[in-house]
Each structure stands twice: as C-alpha cells, then as structure tokens.
Amino acid sequence: MKRWWRSIRGRVLPPLVYIVARLIGATLRIRAVGYEAYEQMEGGKVFLGWHGRTFLAALFFRNKGLWTIISRSRDGEMQNRIFTMFGFNTIRGSTGRGGAKAAAESIRVLKKGETMAFTPDGPRGPSGVVQSGVMLMAKKSGAALVPVGVAASRKWHAPTWDRYMVPLPFARCLMVFGDPIFISRDASDEEVEFARQRLEKDIKIAQERADQGVMR
C-alpha cells in the first residue's frame, strides 16, 4: 500500500492541494501593505519571507509571472507542480542538490529585471535564519532584497520544522512589504554579512507587523 501511494502521490496531491488552496483563497481577505512601491519598480527584485508562510504568498502572487526556487527532492517535485499551477516560473535546486546551477540561473533571471519570490530559510531550515545563497545572488545581480511578513487572523500550523501556516476560511490576511536592501557588487564579506543580518532582522520585523496587524 505504501509503495502504491508513493508511486501516485506526485500526480494526485498537487492538483488536490491546488484546488483546496484556491477554495480557501476565495474566502480570504488579503491586504498588502507596501506592495504598491514595488509594482512599477524597475530592475530585479526578490520578495523574501519565511518558509512556513508560502501559502498566502502563492495566492497573492498567482499568475503574476514571478520566479521561485524549488528543491530537487521528492517533495520538491510536488511543490514544483503546485507552484507551476499557480503560474510561477520555477528554477530547480537547493543547498543539497543543484544549488550552484540554481543560483546561476537566478542571477541571470534577476539581471534581466525579473521578480523572484522564495524562502531564504529553506528548504531545510533552521527556521527564521537567512542563508547565504540569496546574498550572493543579490551581490552578483544588483537585485533588491525585499523583506515580507505574512499573517492570518485564523490559521492552522502543521507540526513541521517551519510550523507551516494554513489560513482558515474567511480569515483576515496581511502581507507587509518592507524597505529594499541592496548589496554592492564590490561589497566585502563583512558588508555582505552585515546585510544578511539586516535582512534577517527586517523580515522578522515585517513578520511582527503582519502578526500584530491581523489582530486589530
């Protein structure tokens, strides 16, 4: 039975998840604070929020042509199908497999002025810690790094390392977009690390603002 389920879950689960997400999403009231500043902003940019908050981001950015990075794991294959259904362009790779190739492809996309959205603490954590890969991408491409906080007034958290959040139907939802961070192409290692710490702090601040905002 387990072998049978493993053989079909990659085909069965993505459309089911997509349908359930769209049904829930149709009942949600999603408000975005600060996003308007980036709608007409020229140049590459990367929207960055924590791994456990991608449900709302997938709904908000649906069919906007954004790019994202999906791991090459078995779970990543299902995520790739789901995000493709949401209208995302995907680049496959992670810290464990295909990371260098994914970073090079992301830099190329950002240099063209495209927009990306992904989780700087994924795919394995630790939760709430910005990994170094996104900093290299920003330095090489000149793209803006945009901290994003995501919250819902009523939600369920999965018992996973990232406490993945699923908004409950009819919840009030809020996405908070912070100020952009740029990294000079000639930045030193110390300057890059300073920017990494600032980005991590700014995502946490945006997350706190979102959490507080949905409770008002």
Side-chain angles (χ1 to χ4, degrees), residues 182-193:
F182 295 91
I183 302 176
S184 171
R185 297 190 184 189
D186 59 358
S188 66
D189 291 345
E190 291 75 16
E191 290 171 327
V192 172
E193 173 58 18

Side-chain angles (χ1 to χ4, degrees), residues 93-143:
S94 64
T95 53
R97 298 172 57 191
K101 184 178 180 180
E105 179 67 10
S106 298
I107 291 169
R108 183 189 67 80
V109 165
L110 291 169
K111 282 184 175 180
K112 291 172 59 179
E114 300 285 355
T115 301
M116 298 190 70
F118 61 86
T119 57
D121 60 342
R124 301 174 181 173
S127 181
V129 176
V130 172
Q131 304 298 315
S132 60
V134 67
M135 311 310 292
L136 173 65
M137 290 164 48
K139 180 178 179 180
K140 295 289 186 180
S141 68

